[in-house]
């Protein structure tokens, strides 16, 4: 009885905290899931319905990848496929000799016998032409063997004797030229080798693409864990000569507004993120300098009107007006603030301890970059 009443060993300590689980050889257990959101990344800030973050992340990867390929290849979204010129049309075909004509034999006139005679003459002439063509083909086949027979060594004895008699004449006439049968054989061999090389090259390209997709370090877009409900972040690796997140999102919204084609089920808003830093006033002003120099240059003849959009999630320790004033003061003098009709909008999104900053155009005209609202039918 004493042995039965012994307590089973558990992983919970006296203080109520769980002990760490360890693998053999003192290796800690790795947590599954995406990497957390961190400073120094760029990508896309996406909002979705609560509890649908996983589905929204999968949809966002597909949608962003498709618009990225359109920008790289220079294609327009919603382009209708061209009609093939050789496509058969639905036309009614009427035959000259049909079964219906047999019922109208009584209605025909006296000229029926003449038409039948003409038809018999045409048929006889056609049969004579076919017989003549067959005879000419058989004569040609006897005189000149086919390329397949020449390639496989199937040559008649008469042709071999003729070749022996005229060998000296052919050598004297042209020693450099090869017989046509040999040329045809060489052409077929070269075409077969070329097709085999093409197939091998295609297989290599497919294997390389599969390896690139399997390797996480070579992916251009991948999901990061934001840590907030209803928020998805898709990171984009920084590469030279590649469209920026702002260009991809701008192309996405303009095409959605023009076509109104349904693209996703779970995505609400998509905003570009070009700067990510810690959510403090000093870090934000320091990280925004290259972004301000790019979109708001000091020496310009066309000053732009701008506005600041601020929103915070899971962080109540930061003063809203301090952040807005610091961002507005970092923009140089020729550019002015206009909250009613801005040309550019500086987006500041704070998620826990990370601040995400981006610049967008036509924010109010494009339904505040709400993809669901842009693709909904007009009422």
């Amino acid at each position: 009885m004493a042995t039965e009443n012994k307590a089973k060993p558990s992983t919970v300590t006296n203080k109520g905290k769980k002990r760490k689980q360890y693998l053999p050889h003192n290796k800690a257990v790795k947590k599954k899931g995406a990497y957390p959101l961190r400073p120094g990344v760029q990508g896309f800030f996406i909002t979705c319905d609560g509890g649908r973050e996983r589905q929204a992340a999968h949809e966002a990867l597909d949608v962003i990848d498709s618009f990225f390929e359109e920008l790289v290849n220079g294609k327009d979204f919603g382009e209708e496929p061209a009609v093939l010129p050789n496509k058969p049309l639905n036309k009614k075909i009427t035959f000259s000799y049909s079964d219906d004509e047999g019922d109208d034999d009584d209605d025909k006139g006296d000229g029926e016998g003449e038409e039948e005679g003409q038809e018999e003459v045409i048929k006889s002439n056609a049969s004579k032409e076919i017989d003549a063509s067959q005879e000419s083909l058989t004569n040609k086949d006897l005189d000149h063997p086919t390329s397949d027979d020449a390639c496989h060594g199937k040559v008649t004895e008469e042709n071999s004797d003729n070749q022996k008699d005229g060998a000296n004449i052919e050598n004297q006439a042209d020693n450099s030229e090869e017989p046509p049968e040999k040329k045809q054989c060489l052409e077929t061999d070269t075409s077969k080798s070329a097709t085999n090389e093409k197939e091998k090259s295609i297989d290599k390209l497919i294997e390389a693409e599969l390896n690139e997709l399997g390797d996480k370090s070579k992916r251009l877009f991948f999901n990061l864990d934001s840590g907030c409900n209803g928020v998805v972040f898709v990171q984009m690796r920084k590469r030279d000569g590649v469209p920026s997140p702002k260009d991809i999102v701008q192309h996405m919204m303009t095409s959605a507004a023009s076509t109104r084609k349904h693209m996703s089920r779970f995505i609400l808003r998509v905003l570009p993120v070009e700067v990510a830093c810690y959510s403090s006033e000093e870090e934000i002003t320091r990280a925004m300098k290259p972004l301000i120099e790019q979109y708001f240059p000091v020496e310009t003849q066309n000053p732009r009107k701008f506005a600041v959009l601020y929103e915070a999630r899971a962080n109540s320790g930061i003063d809203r007006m301090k952040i807005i004033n610091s961002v507005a003061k970092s923009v140089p003098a020729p550019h002015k603030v206009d909250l009613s009709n801005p040309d550019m909008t500086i987006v500041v999104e704070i998620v826990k301890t990370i601040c995400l900053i981006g610049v967008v155009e036509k924010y109010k005209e494009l339904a505040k970059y709400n993809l669901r609202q842009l693709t909904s039918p007009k009422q």
Side-chain angles (χ1 to χ4, degrees):
M1 295 296 291
T3 57
E4 292 179 358
N5 293 329
K6 282 184 179 180
K8 294 182 180 179
S10 62
T11 58
V12 181
T13 59
N14 296 328
K15 295 181 181 180
K17 295 181 180 179
K18 292 184 178 180
R19 295 177 182 175
K20 289 184 179 180
Q21 297 178 357
Y22 287 93
L23 293 174
H25 306 289
N26 260 353
K27 291 183 179 179
V29 178
K30 293 183 180 179
K31 294 182 179 180
K32 294 182 179 180
Y35 290 101
L37 183 61
R38 60 190 183 276
V41 297
Q42 68 173 9
F44 308 90
F45 178 83
I46 300 165
T47 59
C48 62
D49 297 327
R52 298 290 186 177
E53 292 84 5
R54 186 177 179 182
Q55 293 88 340
H58 286 296
E59 276 191 353
L61 290 172
D62 295 336
V63 173
I64 291 168
D65 195 11
S66 64
F67 280 101
F68 173 76
E69 289 180 357
E70 286 177 10
L71 272 179
V72 171
N73 299 327
K75 296 179 181 179
D76 295 331
F77 186 77
E79 190 176 21
E80 294 182 357
V83 180
L84 296 174
N86 297 325
K87 187 176 180 180
L89 301 175
N90 294 327
K91 291 184 178 179
K92 185 178 180 181
I93 301 171
T94 57
F95 296 96
S96 59
Y97 299 102
S98 61
D99 298 335
D100 297 336
E101 292 180 2
D103 300 335
D104 300 333
D105 291 339
D106 299 334
D107 297 334
K108 290 182 181 179
D110 297 332
E112 188 176 4
E114 295 178 357
E115 292 178 356
E116 290 178 356
Q118 290 178 359
E119 290 174 1
E120 290 177 357
V121 172
I122 291 167
K123 288 180 181 179
S124 62
N125 292 330
S127 61
K128 288 179 181 179
E129 290 177 357
I130 291 168
D131 295 336
S133 62
Q134 288 178 356
E135 289 177 1
S136 62
L137 287 171
T138 52
N139 292 327
K140 287 179 182 179
D141 293 336
L142 290 172
D143 295 336
H144 302 285
T146 60
S147 60
D148 296 334
D149 294 338
C151 291
H152 296 287
K154 295 179 180 179
V155 182
T156 56
E157 294 179 358
E158 295 177 0
N159 290 329
S160 62
D161 295 335
N162 293 327
Q163 288 175 359
K164 287 179 182 179
D165 295 334
N168 296 325
I169 299 169
E170 289 178 357
N171 292 328
Q172 291 175 1
D174 221 350
N175 293 324
S176 61
E177 293 185 358
E178 293 180 357
E181 292 84 0
K182 290 185 178 180
K183 288 183 179 179
Q184 289 177 0
C185 294
L186 292 172
E187 288 176 358
T188 54
D189 294 337
T190 53
S191 63
K192 288 179 181 178
S193 61
T195 52
N196 292 330
E197 288 178 358
K198 287 181 180 179
E199 290 177 357
K200 289 179 180 178
S201 61
I202 292 168
D203 294 338
K204 288 180 180 178
L205 289 172
I206 292 170
E207 288 179 2
E209 189 172 357
L210 290 173
N211 292 329
E212 186 175 357
L213 290 173
D215 191 1
K216 292 183 180 180
S217 61
K218 293 183 179 179
R219 292 180 185 175
L220 186 60
F221 306 105
F222 52 93
N223 181 30
L224 293 182
D225 186 13
S226 63
C228 288
N229 188 21
V231 175
V232 175
F233 187 84
V234 176
Q235 183 183 353
M236 179 179 177
R237 292 189 183 276
K238 296 178 181 180
R239 294 181 182 178
D240 296 333
V242 172
S244 63
K246 176 184 175 298
D247 298 332
I248 297 171
V249 175
Q250 192 74 28
H251 175 57
M252 184 190 303
M253 295 302 158
T254 52
S255 60
S258 60
T259 59
R260 291 195 172 272
K261 185 178 179 181
H262 182 72
M263 301 176 190
S264 65
R265 183 181 173 186
F266 304 101
I267 298 174
L268 294 178
R269 294 170 63 196
V270 182
L271 295 171
V273 174
E274 299 182 74
V275 173
C277 61
Y278 286 109
S279 56
S280 64
E281 188 177 352
E282 295 80 9
E283 287 289 329
I284 291 171
T285 53
R286 184 181 61 81
M288 279 194 64
K289 286 182 179 179
L291 198 64
I292 296 299
E293 292 175 358
Q294 181 180 357
Y295 294 106
F296 302 98
V298 177
E299 297 179 357
T300 179
Q301 297 179 356
N302 298 321
R304 295 180 176 179
K305 298 177 288 184
F306 70 94
V308 179
L309 175 68
Y310 175 86
E311 195 171 358
R313 289 176 174 83
N315 191 333
S316 59
I318 297 177
D319 190 359
R320 178 175 179 272
M321 291 309 299
K322 281 185 179 180
I323 301 297
I324 292 174
N325 291 330
S326 64
V327 172
K329 287 178 182 178
S330 61
V331 180
H335 311 281
K336 296 180 181 180
V337 177
D338 189 356
L339 301 178
S340 60
N341 190 18
D343 298 328
M344 309 284 287
T345 302
I346 302 173
V347 180
V348 180
E349 294 280 350
I350 294 178
V351 180
K352 288 189 175 182
T353 59
I354 307 298
C355 179
L356 308 173
I357 306 170
V359 179
V360 296
E361 298 178 6
K362 299 179 180 180
Y363 181 72
K364 291 184 178 179
E365 290 85 344
L366 294 173
K368 297 182 179 180
Y369 281 51
N370 192 322
L371 194 62
R372 184 178 294 178
Q373 189 173 352
L374 281 174
T375 55
S376 62
K378 294 182 179 180
Q379 294 180 357

